[in-house]
Amino acid sequence: MDTRFDELLDFPCYQTFKVLGVAHEQLPEHVVSCLQQHAPDDYNPSIRPSSKGNYHSISIDVKVTSKEHMETIYIELGKLELVRVVL
């Protein structure tokens, strides 16, 4: 992953990740579990359903420590089966 996060952000910092995934009761658990592995913290995700209810949007603030750390979180969240997009 070739990003310019290091040019745009001063690390460490909090970054809001938005995860769009299938509307499944375990989606928030999977997202938080993944984040606990890479950035342990006490997370309080905000969940919003899509207009038709097929998808959920999860917004969650994560403390990232470096460009590589941020890229790793994007990649690992994207690997989750229920996740469709990570913003």
Side-chain angles (χ1 to χ4, degrees):
M1 186 176 241
D2 186 26
T3 63
R4 295 181 18 204
F5 293 140
D6 55 338
E7 297 172 21
L8 303 171
L9 301 169
D10 292 323
F11 294 101
C13 65
Y14 279 90
Q15 181 65 33
T16 301
F17 287 83
K18 186 173 236 181
V19 180
L20 306 172
V22 176
H24 191 280
E25 64 185 32
Q26 291 185 333
L27 177 63
E29 293 173 33
H30 289 185
V31 170
V32 170
S33 176
C34 179
L35 290 173
Q36 290 291 4
Q37 292 176 16
H38 300 285
D41 204 346
D42 186 22
Y43 292 109
N44 186 20
S46 169
I47 305 164
R48 295 184 60 201
S50 66
S51 60
K52 293 183 182 179
N54 296 325
Y55 296 94
H56 283 170
S57 169
I58 299 174
S59 296
I60 193 162
D61 292 329
V62 180
K63 185 174 184 179
V64 291
T65 57
S66 68
K67 170 188 172 181
E68 294 77 16
H69 186 218
M70 195 164 176
E71 291 171 347
T72 298
I73 292 171
Y74 272 108
I75 291 167
E76 294 303 315
L77 287 172
K79 289 180 182 178
L80 297 174
E81 183 178 341
L82 297 173
V83 171
R84 295 300 175 255
V85 177
V86 181
L87 305 170

